[in-house]
Amino acid sequence: MKRVLHRLVQLLWVLMVVALVYGLWARDMVPKSWHAICDPTAFVVICLFTVSVGVWVFWHHFRFRDITMAHVDAMDGLEFENFCAFLLKRNGYTRIQQTKGSGDQGVDVIATKKGIKFGVQCKRYNGFVGNHAVQEIWSGKEYYQLDQAVVLTNSTFSDAANDLATQLGVTLIDREGLRKLMKRLPS
């Protein structure tokens, strides 16, 4: 599906270039009888291109605009992972890659910041996040050969999770930390 979408975008770019060349330069060179077909076609291609660029900009930059913690609390797990990846991007992380849904070894998102590779486990919970999440991200960090392990949640961590994270060097980002990251979202 992703490959097909990529090919469609490439085709739209090519058609846009052709439409612009026609509209700005070649229109005077083609027979006038072709104008009845070429003019509307070029117009439609330019409109489709403009709308698709607008949708792309919205999706990549504004889809989580003005989101509140209530919205975050209502997300499902996959939605929360997508949100966390977007949030990391807005906070200066690069090379953001979401791992596959199952068999990800506890790492949901891999991102880089200042040359350091981070593995992030995203936990959307209603109660305390326990030390199992810390154990999972620690093993995932070793599996993917990452520099730093992070557990990011919309909730809080249990005392056992905090103790284990301190001992293993895992960074824990709780609800308040998530709020701070969310300040970088567009509003």
Side-chain angles (χ1 to χ4, degrees):
M1 177 66 180
K2 198 172 187 178
R3 204 149 111 196
V4 171
L5 189 61
H6 182 69
R7 292 285 186 203
L8 284 174
V9 168
Q10 286 178 331
L11 176 64
L12 192 56
W13 271 96
V14 169
L15 290 174
M16 177 64 175
V17 169
V18 169
L20 287 175
V21 166
Y22 167 76
L24 298 173
W25 179 70
R27 186 172 189 272
D28 296 334
M29 301 177 137
V30 300
K32 292 199 185 291
S33 61
W34 290 16
H35 289 196
I37 294 172
C38 293
D39 288 353
T41 303
F43 177 77
V44 168
V45 167
I46 292 169
C47 289
L48 282 173
F49 182 82
T50 305
V51 168
S52 66
V53 168
V55 168
W56 183 87
V57 167
F58 175 80
W59 184 257
H60 284 3
H61 298 289
F62 297 106
R63 69 180 151 156
F64 293 115
R65 182 180 179 185
D66 297 328
I67 195 165
T68 64
M69 286 304 285
H71 289 105
V72 173
D73 292 339
M75 290 179 178
D76 64 21
L78 182 59
E79 224 177 346
F80 186 65
E81 288 177 20
N82 292 335
F83 174 67
C84 290
F86 182 81
L87 201 55
L88 291 171
K89 182 178 181 181
R90 293 297 297 188
N91 281 275
Y93 290 81
T94 59
R95 296 187 192 136
I96 297 165
Q97 171 190 352
Q98 288 183 256
T99 59
K100 56 186 175 184
S102 61
D104 61 11
Q105 306 299 326
V107 177
D108 298 318
V109 180
I110 298 172
T112 304
K113 187 171 187 177
K114 297 180 182 175
I116 300 170
K117 285 179 75 175
F118 291 84
V120 181
Q121 185 177 61
C122 309
K123 290 290 187 187
R124 198 214 47 81
Y125 268 34
N126 290 329
F128 289 113
V129 177
N131 63 356
H132 183 69
V134 177
Q135 293 167 351
E136 282 182 339
I137 193 64
W138 178 253
S139 66
K141 174 187 170 246
E142 298 301 316
Y143 179 81
Y144 288 104
Q145 300 176 348
L146 303 169
D147 302 316
Q148 188 70 35
V150 179
V151 180
L152 177 59
T153 186
N154 66 321
S155 187
T156 56
F157 294 96
S158 68
D159 291 338
N162 281 312
D163 292 343
L164 184 61
T166 301
Q167 203 168 38
L168 295 177
V170 173
T171 304
L172 300 180
I173 301 175
D174 63 2
R175 192 173 186 85
E176 287 308 308
L178 181 62
R179 273 200 179 100
K180 288 177 185 173
L181 291 173
M182 287 173 61
K183 287 182 181 179
R184 303 280 299 195
L185 291 175
S187 58

